[in-house]
Amino acid sequence: MALSTISGISMATDIVAELADSLAKTGVEDGELSYKGQGRKLDDAQSAGEIVKDIEEFEGLQALRMEGNTVGVEAAQAIAKALETKSDFKRCYWSDMFTGRLRSEIPPALNSLGDALMLAGARLTVLDLSDNAFGPDGVKGIEKLLKSTACFTLQELRLNNCGMGIGGGKILAASLIQCHKLSSEKNEPLSLKVFVAGRNRLENDGATALAQAFQLMGSLEEVHMPQNGINHPGVTALATAMQHNPGLRILNLNDNTFTEKGAVAMAQALKHLHSIQVINFGDCLVRPEGAKAIAESVSEGLPVLKELNLSYGEITADAALAVVEAVKNKDQLEKLDLNGNYLGEDGCKAVKDTMEGVNMISLLGSLSDDEGDPEDDEDEDEEDNDEDDDEDEDDVDEEEIEEEEEEEDSSSNHKPSTPVSAPRPPDVSSFLSFPSPDKLLKLGAKRALLVQQQVDVTDARKTAEAFLKIASVYKEENYDVKNAVLDTIDAILSKAFSTPSFQGYSFVSVLLVLLGLIKSEDKIKPVVVVPGHLHALEHVVRQDYFPKENVAVLEAFMSRSNKSLESCGNARNGLQSTLQRVRPQS
């Protein structure tokens, strides 16, 4: 490395170090007590003693962060007892709080905590129980709380990846409907703004039940329900409900099976959603006619649209061009994703030329995974005659979601997948030189180790550059690619941060320079920041290997206005939110 490079990076490192010292002197948000990410094993009242004491002594407690710990029934009861007097309490950050616990332990633990909040007269605004695999019984554990006055003021309900299933979805819907009824009688109707329930196997019946609650409330601003095995009957029910939520800004239904019927119904709903900013229908099989219907709705309205994701939807070139025409006059557009469709070489060129012609080419996502020209037109023709097939396809995908942690299954019937090729020698150098999802997957099961061996983890700059290259192929909607990226990054960074000679601050400094967030004296050219970079970084900061003293530094720079991050709205918001949650308590 040249002397000038060392000088510039050192200066950037000094800036980061000074900022870290300053931030270390500031505490967490007022009224908040945090044990996030501390990995505590709380089995009984004794092991929870310190937390109980802290809660009892905390005047005006408003929020408790327990993410990344594991809480047993007796410990939950002890913590609950301490919460019984906290009338100012508002925010429960209790995701990933039951790791390693029997499913039967979770409902009584949640019941105890819920009863305490009701007794305290708490008025909740945030309830986050994501990443707790509690199933339908876990929903029963919060059923009483959700119907109580404590939740009349609820604004955010986050239940991502909880395995609720159809039964849990129905219980949740009934609880929200009852809460709305009771709160309305008190002239303070439940006005939920954010609903998150991805990866819950809700399917049609669960989604339809929740749609009734959504329609009743009419206050939603964000709905995130990706990967739930919902096909067109459930999508249509949700579409009807969304029409009654005119303030909706973000609608994420990624990786559900719309087909043309669901897509047309959702297109009709969009005509009523003038505040919508982000539409994520990626991997939803909207097909050409569905895409055209969505394009028509976009063209006729949606004045503040920022992101439109119609990737992996079996969309043909003519439909894609209709979408492009529809977004040409959207002056707030930041991202259009049409990757993984059936555009063909000529179609890709036509899409790019059209976007370039209106100076919007920088807003178009990569088309590197385009599937080429459709081999035949049978898929569309069969849709109306084979509705049962759609449901069968969805069942197959749902089984994959349930089994994905136990085995790798590439048999998805409705979305493009990486073709299985004959065994060949892995080429890590080729991947690192010109990264692509396909190349990463073809490195095989040992890809993380192979890539790790190619990266000099004693060099902060080389490690940061490797991280960004790997993260650039991240795909939120593709489970195999997503996991391959995160596993590979974990292998590299866990080794780097455990290497005595590795300079953590230097790594963060170089990363910030490469992301265009810090200016350096060196001639280091920043990368084009893509959402994958920020999604991967969000994962990294949650890991034990990542030094928590660097979290506040990243949070400070991510919160600043910067053009390099403008195209990554959702990913940036997710990263900022996570950084806030994992920031250590002073």
Side-chain angles (χ1 to χ4, degrees), residues 251-446:
L251 181 56
N252 175 9
L253 295 174
N254 190 284
D255 201 5
N256 290 291
T257 310
F258 282 32
T259 67
E260 180 181 318
K261 288 185 178 181
V264 169
M266 197 57 75
Q268 286 299 116
L270 291 175
K271 294 181 179 181
H272 300 265
L273 303 177
H274 304 298
S275 299
I276 198 82
Q277 295 178 10
V278 177
I279 300 170
N280 187 344
F281 296 160
D283 209 9
C284 284
L285 203 70
V286 299
R287 291 181 173 158
E289 293 309 310
K292 290 176 182 177
I294 292 169
E296 180 182 337
S297 297
V298 171
S299 179
E300 294 176 357
L302 314 193
V304 292
L305 184 66
K306 292 183 177 180
E307 295 185 26
L308 176 59
N309 184 347
L310 295 176
S311 60
Y312 301 95
E314 291 191 359
I315 299 171
T316 51
D318 60 329
L321 286 168
V323 173
V324 170
E325 288 293 327
V327 301
K328 280 168 59 173
N329 297 318
K330 304 301 170 187
D331 56 9
Q332 295 191 38
L333 190 73
E334 296 175 359
K335 178 72 180 291
L336 173 64
D337 193 344
L338 293 170
N339 202 14
N341 284 301
Y342 291 153
L343 309 188
E345 187 175 343
D346 291 341
C348 286
K349 184 177 186 303
V351 165
K352 289 178 181 177
D353 287 348
T354 305
M355 291 291 281
E356 190 163 18
V358 290
N359 295 319
M360 298 176 76
I361 188 65
S362 63
L363 310 182
L364 179 65
S366 169
L367 298 176
S368 60
D369 288 347
D370 188 72
E371 292 290 303
D373 294 309
E375 294 179 1
D376 54 59
D377 297 322
E378 292 178 5
D379 285 347
E380 262 192 280
D381 296 336
E382 289 174 0
E383 182 185 340
D384 292 332
N385 299 326
D386 265 333
E387 291 182 11
D388 290 340
D389 287 349
D390 286 336
E391 296 182 11
D392 291 342
E393 289 170 358
D394 205 66
D395 290 340
V396 171
D397 289 332
E398 205 47 50
E399 289 170 8
E400 288 174 15
I401 293 171
E402 292 179 16
E403 297 171 5
E404 61 192 6
E405 294 182 0
E406 301 173 12
E407 62 181 2
E408 292 186 11
D409 184 352
S410 60
S411 61
S412 173
N413 290 327
H414 85 263
K415 60 184 180 183
S417 59
T418 304
V420 178
S421 60
R424 65 178 188 178
D427 190 350
V428 179
S429 297
S430 174
F431 167 70
L432 289 174
S433 298
F434 303 98
S436 77
D438 187 54
K439 288 180 182 178
L440 182 61
L441 291 178
K442 285 181 178 177
L443 291 175
K446 294 184 179 180

Side-chain angles (χ1 to χ4, degrees), residues 17-37:
E18 288 173 12
L19 182 59
D21 288 341
S22 173
L23 290 168
K25 297 173 183 175
T26 63
V28 296
E29 187 176 341
D30 287 345
E32 181 177 295
L33 192 56
S34 176
Y35 302 93
K36 177 160 181 145

Side-chain angles (χ1 to χ4, degrees), residues 136-173:
D137 289 342
V139 185
K140 292 178 183 177
I142 58 171
E143 184 177 7
K144 186 163 56 169
L145 174 64
L146 287 172
K147 295 177 181 178
S148 75
T149 56
C151 286
F152 285 5
T153 50
L154 195 63
Q155 295 182 11
E156 297 182 22
L157 179 58
R158 300 177 183 272
L159 297 167
N160 202 58
N161 192 30
C162 288
M164 289 190 288
I166 295 172
K170 288 182 175 180
I171 295 168
L172 177 61

